[in-house]
Amino acid sequence: MAEGGLAELLPTSAIWLDQTAEDWRDAVRLAGDALIAGGSVTEPYIDEMIAVVQELGPYIVIVPGLALAHARPSPSVVRSGLSWVTLSNPVRFGHPENDPVSVVVGLAAPDDESHIIALSTLAELLSDEQRHQALVSAESPAAVHAIISDFERSTQGGGT
């Protein structure tokens, strides 16, 4: 994953906006389905992501309103990738401080280390409150992708 930036890892086909989820399992499943749509994982990865939350709890709700759904590297990961899913109605994951969740980011990584750069960039992007709000309120996958691409260009000194 180290070779790709966020925009490269998040194709517009993996950006799903205004989705409906009954509970956290549905929300994680949507993030997994979006990863499949982006060509990053196969179906078993979704159950692996759900199993992580069942085993370890809602630690994936990393900031208020946002969960980072993922599982350990496995044969179900086809290639590194991300998905971005916004929910029309936030759902509870059981996190004491960061519930309810209205954005679920799916992460697929083929190993334990290559996703660290992408996560660092995502954390930096989300810590910018203005960009964070722009992402959450974006009205199209192209708009989400454009916000991420603009951020990456700005942090790379105006590169490609």
Side-chain angles (χ1 to χ4, degrees):
M1 182 177 293
E3 69 280 357
L6 287 178
E8 182 180 326
L9 296 172
L10 181 63
T12 55
S13 60
I15 301 170
W16 295 6
L17 306 179
D18 201 29
Q19 299 294 302
T20 301
E22 293 291 320
D23 57 25
W24 70 262
R25 286 178 183 81
D26 280 352
V28 170
R29 194 168 303 282
L30 285 166
D33 286 341
L35 283 170
I36 290 172
S40 298
V41 301
T42 58
E43 183 75 26
Y45 192 73
I46 296 172
D47 290 334
E48 294 168 17
M49 291 193 304
I50 290 171
V52 165
V53 179
Q54 289 174 324
E55 179 181 344
L56 301 175
Y59 81 97
I60 68 168
V61 185
I62 57 174
V63 295
L66 188 141
L68 180 64
H70 62 282
R72 296 193 56 77
S74 80
S76 302
V77 176
V78 176
R79 64 175 179 79
S80 297
L82 295 167
S83 65
W84 178 272
V85 175
T86 63
L87 303 174
S88 56
N89 295 306
V91 298
R92 301 192 73 75
F93 276 67
H95 195 283
E97 298 167 4
N98 295 334
D99 271 343
V101 169
S102 59
V103 177
V104 182
V105 177
L107 168 68
D111 57 52
D112 287 329
E113 297 176 4
S114 61
H115 63 289
I116 293 173
I117 292 172
L119 287 180
S120 174
T121 304
L122 179 63
E124 186 179 350
L125 172 62
L126 294 175
S127 69
D128 180 325
E129 187 60 31
Q130 187 174 5
R131 284 190 167 106
H132 185 152
Q133 287 308 313
L135 281 170
V136 171
S137 61
E139 295 185 2
S140 72
V144 170
H145 203 266
I147 292 165
I148 292 170
S149 295
D150 288 346
F151 173 75
E152 288 188 313
R153 276 192 296 273
S154 72
T155 59
Q156 295 168 358
T160 56

